[in-house]
Amino acid sequence: MKELVARSLKYQAGKVQVLDQYLLPHEETWHHCESVAQMKSLILTLKVRGAPLIGLAASLLVAYLAQQGHSKAQLSEAIDELEATRPTAVNLMHCMRCLRTALQQHEYVRAVIAEAERLFEEDCALCDRMATLGATLVEPGDNILTHCNTGALATAGVGTALGVIHHAARQHGDIHIWVDETRPLLQGGRLTAYELAQWQIPYTLLCDNMAASLMAAGKVDKIFVGADRIAANGDFANKVGTYNLAVLAHYHNIPFYVVAPVTTLDMSCASGGDIPIEQRAEGEVTGVSGSFGSCQWAPKGAKVYNPAFDVTPAALITAWVLDTGIFYPQDVATGRLGTA
Ligand code: MRU
């Protein structure tokens, strides 16, 4: 068995530990994870979150269960249950599909473990390639706006959109990042701000609804965001609020880039309309709770609309930065999105 260590996921001596992202940035608490029920709960409560990380954490748990002697039927059931936790991020489905194939092999225990470990290592390599390619789009002095958290916390490597920012900052030194706080669960305000501070990259935090006036003031040069699923026509789903940014970027003539590994492409979705969108609990919008306590501000019984993601149409995207290359609208129109 390999020893695999990422910023928010550890696999050592065959055991799985995850960093509790709900308690960040004030508390770094690691959870040992030994059952499907526990991993499902960690994913559903966003303690384990970020499209690539969800798939990898679930995969390593299946590898752990295989070592523990779970039968083929039990492993198959575990894969089905884990796959059903969050419906939008296709990386989870991709990982579970790979494990299902491994499970068909004669020596399935060895095959499942090897496949989970391979998926982790592959994600590190994909992140590095995206970050290196994406950094070529950044110029010294750029002010970059980003949304949600797409960094090392959300992947096994350096991240997707935030990975680009990491590599660009190492190359140019003098870039500055505008961080959308990302309502309702504040992945930007809590996690992206935390990662940028640790990487010593200058940033300024803003409420999501301040982006329009910031762009109008000419203070945003480029936008980089991640993706949870990209359809064949280039439309993509990402954290709710991404579409707002794309519309605003179009109006203000600001380049808008989406960064994701090829494992985020879902050619079975012809367009964004085919991507299932996760709806989340009302309590995430009617109030707030965290390590600081909880508070409810909306009146009792308030009706809530809380989709976790929205879909940005391809027409608003300047380029798709994948690990296989940078793709422009003409590539998408000719069916070359994702091809090396
Ligand atoms: O609900 P989350 O926090 O899992 O949503 C995460 C995002 O939307 C990210 O932008 C996405 O996973 C892409 S990159 C890691």
Side-chain angles (χ1 to χ4, degrees), residues 24-41:
L24 289 176
H26 302 296
E27 235 181 279
E28 283 222 7
T29 300
W30 287 83
H31 300 288
H32 284 275
C33 188
E34 296 178 343
S35 70
V36 173
Q38 198 186 352
M39 182 58 83
K40 276 171 66 180
S41 156

Side-chain angles (χ1 to χ4, degrees), residues 18 46 52 88 108 158 202 279 291 302:
V18 293
L46 300 202
T88 306
Y108 68 89
V158 70
Q279 300 292 325
S291 45

Side-chain angles (χ1 to χ4, degrees), residues 46 48-54 86 89 91 147-151 154-155 159-161 185 187 191 225-228 237-240 242 259 261 278 280 308-309:
L46 300 202
V48 173
R49 54 148 296 280
L53 192 85
I54 298 166
R86 295 193 75 191
N91 311 66
H147 192 66
C148 197
N149 173 263
T150 61
T155 64
T160 60
L185 295 180
Q187 289 92 331
L191 307 176
V225 295
D228 282 71
N238 191 48
K239 180 53 57 194
V240 67
T242 301
V259 187
E278 176 184 1
R280 292 192 57 89
F309 303 96

